[in-house]
Amino acid sequence: MRTTSTETVTVIRARGFSAWLLATIGARLPIAMAPLALVVVAEQATGSYGFGGALVAAHTVGEIAGSPPMGRLADLWPSRWNLAAVLVLQGAGFAALSWSLTMEHPQWLPVVLAVAVGVIAAGVPGALRSRLTQMVPAPAVIKALSIDSAINQICWAVAPVVVALLAVTAFSSIALLIVAVSPLLAVLACIALPESGSAPETAAGGFVSLARLLRTTLVLTIVLRLALGILAVAAIPVFTDADHAGLAGLALGLYAAATGTGAVTLGARRPLHRDAQRDVALLLALLAAVLIPTLLLAYSVVGLLVVFVLAGFVEGPTVVALSVHIQDSVPVPWRATGFSVQYAALGVGFALGSLALGPLLDVTSPAGAVSAVGAVMFVSACTVALLRGREITRSQRNTFPASTHSE
């Protein structure tokens, strides 16, 4: 049986991995940099942080709406050249968005461009993840997905720091142009990827069949991302209440690092049950149990930091387990679409978690809001775990012909 270290080496030595790594970093950095960059540039151009928030919302809506159709296009036309073309359009879109904010234009124009940029590249993360699983041998797929998740967390940890540094320099007004450079550099890496060959045979079914196949996984994904949505927005008020507002950035950085660590270590392990979704539900219950005591630790800085670290460490393997289930359940002709639909669900969960903070702060403290979301997650996860008392993945796969479910 292969050890974890052996599988890691297998992934790293896979043909095209270096190009894939550069392409993935280049494609995900702009997505992670965009929220803060949009706020910074919009405030510079209009003096309104509110308008920056509107642009972030527009970009997020574009990503959520664009993920399924753009992921499907990536399945139908898997050529590396098509992927490179999409990244060129993304870079050009961010450049156009920067231009629309630095010149005198009606405010609806940057809003439309923000939506368009979100739609254009929404399928890229799923397409690159799907391509990685086809580059490595079957025994190393779980390790590959854990590495992919860790890279994603590294991007989300580094990107805000880069934008924050730009914000205090003379380059703040062109932050979006710098964001645009990242996908353009990723284009060169995409061209160096090994060609995946002709488009795979199209499986019967459609988005309805895919949604039915993944319905529980998508619900669990949304519940999972509630945690990041609430923690990302509540970090500053939570630590402000504890008289250490400056530690909010450290907490989120530790959270991202712990997520990546959890993904690479625990995420590479095989599922405990035949039903991977039940494993995910149990992990989510554990994650929720970490969040619930936040109210009791509201004035303990060390305790709050521990909550963020433990939450990240549990979330890492949970994300990997969700990806592994999609990898095992969805046939190759729909694999990038499946990962892209998962990406959309992550966006929905993050948005719900972020939006929940406002109403919750009307009735409780920031730490209480985190505990309340944790309680909702715990009930949801336990309900799913109880309902899934038997393995149902095989019967779900019958929505697609078995003959197409092959590498």
Side-chain angles (χ1 to χ4, degrees):
M1 183 176 181
R2 290 173 181 261
T3 63
T4 298
S5 59
T6 301
E7 290 174 348
T8 301
V9 172
T10 300
V11 174
I12 293 174
R13 289 183 175 178
R15 178 172 174 264
F17 176 80
S18 297
W20 175 88
L21 177 63
L22 294 176
T24 295
I25 293 174
R28 291 189 174 178
L29 273 179
I31 295 173
M33 293 172 69
L36 187 54
L38 286 169
V39 172
V40 169
V41 176
E43 193 280 331
Q44 285 272 339
T46 67
S48 171
Y49 283 111
F51 184 61
L55 291 180
V56 174
H59 183 258
T60 301
V61 168
E63 286 188 299
I64 293 172
S67 290
M70 295 304 290
R72 187 70 196 122
L73 288 177
D75 276 323
L76 293 174
W77 295 296
S79 169
R80 59 187 177 180
W81 295 100
N82 291 329
L83 194 58
V86 169
L87 288 169
V88 169
L89 289 175
Q90 183 190 30
F94 275 118
L97 184 52
S98 177
W99 166 78
S100 72
L101 287 169
T102 54
M103 305 292 287
E104 292 187 5
H105 295 289
Q107 288 193 336
W108 60 263
L109 180 59
V111 171
V112 171
L113 286 173
V115 173
V117 172
V119 170
I120 287 170
V124 173
L128 286 171
R129 180 176 295 172
S130 176
R131 185 176 284 267
L132 175 63
T133 63
Q134 297 176 52
M135 287 165 48
V136 301
V141 166
I142 295 180
K143 171 56 70 174
L145 290 172
S146 69
I147 290 174
D148 175 82
S149 296
I151 292 170
N152 185 56
Q153 289 306 124
I154 292 172
C155 289
W156 277 95
V158 170
V161 176
V162 174
V163 177
L165 291 175
L166 292 174
V168 296
T169 68
F171 298 102
S172 58
S173 61
I174 61 169
L176 283 175
L177 287 178
I178 296 175
V179 173
V181 172
S182 181
L184 295 179
L185 292 177
V187 169
L188 300 177
C190 281
I191 294 174
L193 285 171
E195 192 57 84
S196 61
S198 58
E201 178 187 350
T202 302
F207 283 107
V208 174
S209 297
L210 184 67
R212 186 182 301 116
L213 174 71
L214 298 178
R215 60 183 181 273
T216 302
T217 298
L218 296 180
V219 169
L220 291 172
T221 299
I222 291 172
V223 173
L224 167 68
R225 219 48 168 186
L226 285 173
L228 177 56
I230 191 70
L231 288 176
V233 179
I236 292 179
V238 162
F239 281 92
T240 298
D241 278 4
D243 294 326
H244 287 82
L247 292 179
L250 173 63
L252 290 174
L254 291 173
Y255 173 85
T259 305
T261 302
V264 171
T265 55
L266 298 182
R269 297 181 181 275
R270 298 285 173 178
L272 297 175
H273 300 97
R274 293 180 62 195
D275 185 358
Q277 292 174 327
R278 195 178 186 192
D279 270 0
V280 172
L282 294 174
L283 283 169
L284 280 176
L286 177 60
L287 174 59
V290 170
L291 298 181
I292 290 173
T294 305
L295 179 60
L296 301 176
L297 302 170
Y299 299 103
S300 170
V301 174
V302 174
L304 291 173
L305 289 174
V306 170
V307 167
F308 276 76
V309 171
L310 290 179
F313 195 70
V314 177
E315 182 175 334
T318 310
V319 173
V320 177
L322 287 165
S323 298
V324 170
H325 175 71
I326 292 175
Q327 166 72 22
D328 291 343
S329 303
V330 179
V332 174
W334 284 82
R335 189 75 50 76
T337 310
F339 286 132
S340 296
V341 170
Q342 178 194 25
Y343 183 75
L346 290 171
V348 171
F350 183 87
L352 290 176
S354 302
L355 292 172
L357 183 63
L360 286 173
L361 288 181
D362 292 335
V363 296
T364 186
S365 65
V370 175
S371 293
V373 170
V376 171
M377 290 177 59
F378 187 79
V379 172
S380 302
C382 288
T383 300
V384 173
L386 290 173
L387 290 176
R388 299 191 64 82
R390 61 187 181 85
E391 199 277 328
I392 62 172
T393 303
R394 183 173 302 172
S395 62
Q396 285 182 323
R397 287 178 186 170
N398 290 336
T399 55
F400 290 97
S403 61
T404 63
H405 186 64
S406 61
E407 295 293 345

